[in-house]
Amino acid sequence: MSLEEIIAECKKNHPKAQEQLYQLFAKKFFGVCLKYSRNYDDAQDNLQDGFIISFKKIHQYSGKGSFEGWAKRILINNALLRFKDIRFLEIIDDSIAEVALEIEEENISLEYLLQIIQELPDQYRIVFSLYVLDGYSHKEISEMLKISTGTTKSNLYRARLILKEKIEKITAFKFESSAK
């Protein structure tokens, strides 16, 4: 069955089509959920909830644009709802400079990078994931989270600082270990 046929069957609430749709996108969408979750279990919950919401709202999908993009937006919005009560740090200085994150792939594993992103405080992880990993603009993020663009920039700056410190610490440790 084609994706369009599967979606049409999902709109009729057919469980086998829903299972097929889940199988098609679960791995990719789990990666999305990991970026917005504190840990693996939260990501699994976000994935499950996101699919349930997608199945309930699938009749709203008109076929314009990609289904994947439509469903991904639902997953992200659902994950963000879990953090609706967190306080984002307001910007103090609008002249925050970019913090460069230089990652040498041979020194940092993807698993470690994902782990340190998940360890970020919620407000930093959310803004970092939206901006860096999913390509949203500061304006879009500010609208999604109902905060100022200055606050999104401030939270991104702080997230990058924390990540930079952790990456420098692990690369320094690896360098010292290999020098011995």
Side-chain angles (χ1 to χ4, degrees):
M1 245 193 291
S2 72
L3 179 58
E4 291 78 20
E5 292 170 324
I6 293 170
I7 292 169
E9 290 300 305
C10 285
K11 287 181 178 184
K12 297 175 186 173
N13 226 11
H14 289 154
K16 287 193 186 257
Q18 290 174 335
E19 183 180 346
Q20 282 184 297
L21 195 63
Y22 181 87
Q23 294 301 323
L24 276 173
F25 291 103
K27 284 184 181 179
K28 183 177 274 188
F29 287 168
F30 185 69
V32 171
C33 292
L34 274 172
K35 294 185 289 190
Y36 295 96
S37 302
R38 292 180 179 121
N39 55 48
Y40 191 88
D41 291 336
D42 283 351
Q44 286 180 314
D45 290 345
N46 285 333
L47 178 69
Q48 191 69 26
D49 293 346
F51 267 104
I52 290 169
I53 293 167
S54 295
F55 292 142
K56 286 180 182 176
K57 293 185 173 192
I58 200 161
H59 65 279
Q60 295 175 5
Y61 175 67
S62 64
K64 295 178 183 170
S66 75
F67 173 79
E68 184 177 334
W70 177 83
K72 182 179 174 184
R73 184 74 179 210
I74 289 174
L75 285 166
I76 291 171
N77 286 337
N78 177 61
L80 294 178
L81 280 176
R82 294 178 186 264
F83 303 106
K84 69 179 185 245
D85 294 329
I86 68 167
R87 295 190 41 90
F88 287 85
L89 296 178
E90 290 297 323
I91 188 159
I92 298 166
D93 180 7
D94 197 25
S95 63
I96 291 177
E98 287 279 319
V99 173
L101 273 179
E102 295 187 22
I103 301 170
E104 296 178 25
E105 293 174 19
E106 64 273 1
N107 291 333
I108 304 288
S109 71
L110 184 58
E111 292 80 20
Y112 178 73
L113 191 56
L114 183 57
Q115 176 191 335
I116 62 174
I117 291 170
Q118 286 179 324
E119 290 171 357
L120 287 170
D122 294 335
Q123 66 273 25
Y124 301 159
R125 184 183 63 254
I126 291 168
V127 172
F128 180 86
S129 294
L130 287 168
Y131 186 83
V132 175
L133 304 178
D134 285 318
Y136 287 96
S137 70
H138 284 292
K139 183 176 189 270
E140 291 170 315
I141 297 168
S142 71
E143 290 169 0
M144 290 170 78
L145 301 177
K146 296 175 181 44
I147 57 177
S148 72
T149 57
T151 301
T152 69
K153 290 175 183 178
S154 177
N155 281 272
L156 177 62
Y157 172 80
R158 289 182 173 105
R160 285 182 166 164
L161 271 181
I162 293 169
L163 293 173
K164 183 178 181 183
E165 288 172 7
K166 289 184 178 202
I167 290 168
E168 287 173 349
K169 190 180 287 185
I170 191 71
T171 54
F173 175 76
K174 285 185 176 185
F175 179 74
E176 288 173 11
S177 296
S178 66
K180 290 180 182 179

